[in-house]
Amino acid sequence: MTSSRRLRRKAGENTRAVHLPPAPPAGRLPIGLPVWRSATWGFDGSAEYADVLGDRAPGFAYSRIDNPTVAAFAAGIASLEGAAAPEDVAGQAFPSGMAAVSAVFMTFLRAGAHVVAPAPVHGGTHALLAGVLARFGVTADFVDFSDLRRVHAAVRRQTKIIYAETLGTTTMAVADIRGLYRIARDAGALLVVDSTYATPVVCRPLEHGADLVVHSATKFIGGHDDCAGGAVVGRPDLIAHVRDVRVDTGAALAPDEAFLLRRGLSTLPLRVRRMCATAMVFAAAVAKHPGVRRVDYPGLPDHPGHQLARQLFDAGPEGTRFGACVSVIPYGGYEAGVMLADTLRTARIAASAGGAQTKVVHLASAARGRLAEAGPAGAGTDPGAVRFAVGLEDAEDLIADVTGALDGLRSGPAARG
């Protein structure tokens, strides 16, 4: 009887508050992705815990290592990038694009290793290679990737990675992924491609020979300027090593961010197709303005990468998709570029790309900041260049906005100078 009373003893109020009833099993697959905010998971026994923690059994133990919502996002981007890849594709998610790039470099580089990268390359990538990794004995050459002979000449015996950008972030240069693949294969190096500004809606580098693809998911994948994240996708054997570094360095994407990024994948084709179509109309119209010296957009026939883009980039009913970023170079140099950016009313001066609102950056004036798009001092970028990351507005409104600003430049101080 004493034993029965002990079994029926009511737990204290604090214990009852901590040990609430578990959520009922759903019984069906949810249409919406659940957000698993739990940092840790419980187990029925030590052996099961050890097996999951040691990757000997599937499951989740601790969100720094793996989380179901984060894993769902990683699987989603791998699915889109690997739609027609020659091998299986896996992915890993990160809290930012630079965290993803850092993990790739830390995984496959050692002291004495060498990297060949484009000039200009994204400013964060340049800073990582030339600043942080250089302190650990990694060297890098930044060369003109429009000439594959220069890329080939830069390769050394120590070259472990050839790093490219599907679409450059400043001049919208188009990477010859197939040609770079041949150089990387002959050198025994990995071809790693940053495809942030293309997205799998425009180009999937794995289909053209890339070993790994990295993304800043903060931009087009998230699509609404309300979350940050990154991803790496590629062959499962390579991704397994990237995962080890992610876990060991603590680069864990939060589940709420993963939910937003995974949701962004569902509308990515709709948004990017619309942005690319608008960017094409916008670039063609602005290029005709008498105050514009040049427009960098691979959809324009006079862009150096136009024919290459037609070979590599996807086409839909609207035609080939050439990306959603356009660089406008007005007459008047640096001062004119600043005035153009500052005079716009619909487009906003802001970092990043891929959101609903069109954003502009005068690349040279931002070149010394932490968010510089190009390498040191905007290397390779015209001092007047203003990059438009086209959003979801109507093309006519964006054209009117920039036309009005350019008309003002022709009668303002920049024109008189």
Side-chain angles (χ1 to χ4, degrees):
M1 193 168 182
T2 303
S3 175
S4 298
R5 282 199 300 270
R6 186 179 299 120
L7 288 173
R8 289 196 300 269
R9 179 184 178 276
K10 183 182 294 186
E13 63 178 7
N14 296 299
T15 303
R16 296 198 308 274
V18 171
H19 293 269
L20 296 172
R28 295 289 186 273
L29 288 175
I31 299 299
L33 178 67
V35 182
W36 292 90
R37 292 190 180 94
S38 183
T40 188
W41 276 259
F43 293 85
D44 293 330
S46 297
E48 181 190 12
Y49 172 65
D51 285 343
V52 171
L53 203 60
D55 294 331
R56 293 182 294 275
F60 300 91
Y62 189 52
S63 273
R64 177 175 66 81
I65 299 172
D66 290 301
N67 174 283
T69 311
V70 177
F73 164 62
I77 185 64
S79 174
L80 294 186
E81 281 289 357
E87 300 175 275
D88 290 341
V89 176
Q92 285 291 298
F94 292 83
S96 70
M98 282 311 304
V101 174
S102 299
V104 170
F105 286 153
M106 286 190 285
T107 300
F108 299 106
L109 299 177
R110 302 289 186 273
H114 176 250
V115 177
V116 181
V121 71
H122 183 269
T125 304
H126 186 280
L128 176 63
L129 285 168
V132 178
L133 294 178
R135 300 201 301 266
F136 296 90
V138 173
T139 59
D141 281 322
F142 302 92
V143 303
D144 181 2
F145 268 39
S146 67
D147 186 347
L148 291 183
R149 292 172 298 180
R150 296 189 180 185
V151 179
H152 188 273
V155 172
R156 310 175 191 170
R157 181 175 55 84
Q158 299 88 355
T159 302
K160 301 301 179 186
I161 289 177
I162 294 178
Y163 187 90
E165 296 174 339
T166 306
L167 273 172
T169 59
T170 56
T171 61
M172 307 302 119
V174 180
D176 185 348
I177 301 172
R178 295 168 184 167
L180 293 170
Y181 159 71
R182 291 190 290 271
I183 295 173
R185 179 192 59 194
D186 293 344
L190 291 175
L191 176 59
V192 179
V193 180
D194 180 343
S195 206
T196 296
Y197 284 82
T199 81
V201 179
V202 174
C203 181
R204 293 166 300 282
L206 297 175
E207 296 174 15
H208 304 292
D211 294 292
L212 293 168
V213 174
V214 298
H215 282 279
S216 170
T218 309
K219 299 177 175 65
F220 292 90
I221 290 172
H224 294 84
D225 300 313
D226 56 6
C227 58
V232 182
V233 300
R235 294 198 322 263
D237 61 315
L238 297 176
I239 292 298
H241 297 301
V242 174
R243 175 182 178 269
D244 288 342
V245 169
R246 177 186 63 75
V247 172
D248 291 342
T249 57
L253 177 65
D256 286 273
E257 305 286 271
F259 167 81
L260 293 171
L261 295 172
R262 166 82 178 216
R263 186 175 66 175
L265 291 177
S266 300
T267 60
L268 182 66
L270 297 173
R271 291 183 287 103
V272 172
R273 287 201 305 264
R274 165 65 186 261
M275 290 172 176
C276 289
T278 301
M280 183 71 252
V281 174
F282 174 81
V286 173
K288 298 175 183 177
H289 194 283
V292 171
R293 185 164 65 83
R294 189 178 81 242
V295 170
D296 286 332
Y297 183 67
L300 299 179
D302 59 351
H303 188 278
H306 179 71
Q307 291 303 323
L308 183 58
R310 284 195 172 276
Q311 297 171 25
L312 294 175
F313 293 174
D314 278 7
E318 73 282 8
T320 303
R321 301 161 188 161
F322 294 100
C325 290
V326 181
S327 281
V328 177
I329 298 95
Y331 287 104
Y334 185 100
E335 182 183 1
V338 172
M339 291 181 64
L340 172 58
D342 290 357
T343 310
L344 295 166
R345 292 294 176 262
T346 302
R348 298 289 302 276
I349 296 174
S352 196
Q357 295 187 29
T358 295
K359 304 174 189 64
V360 295
V361 175
H362 175 240
L363 294 165
S365 64
R368 293 177 178 82
R370 281 284 184 181
L371 293 176
E373 293 292 344
T381 303
D382 189 284
V386 176
R387 189 192 68 192
F388 288 74
V390 173
L392 295 176
E393 300 94 342
D394 293 302
E396 296 79 7
D397 293 327
L398 296 176
I399 293 168
D401 190 28
V402 73
T403 298
L406 288 166
D407 288 345
L409 284 182
R410 297 186 71 202
S411 59
R416 293 193 293 272

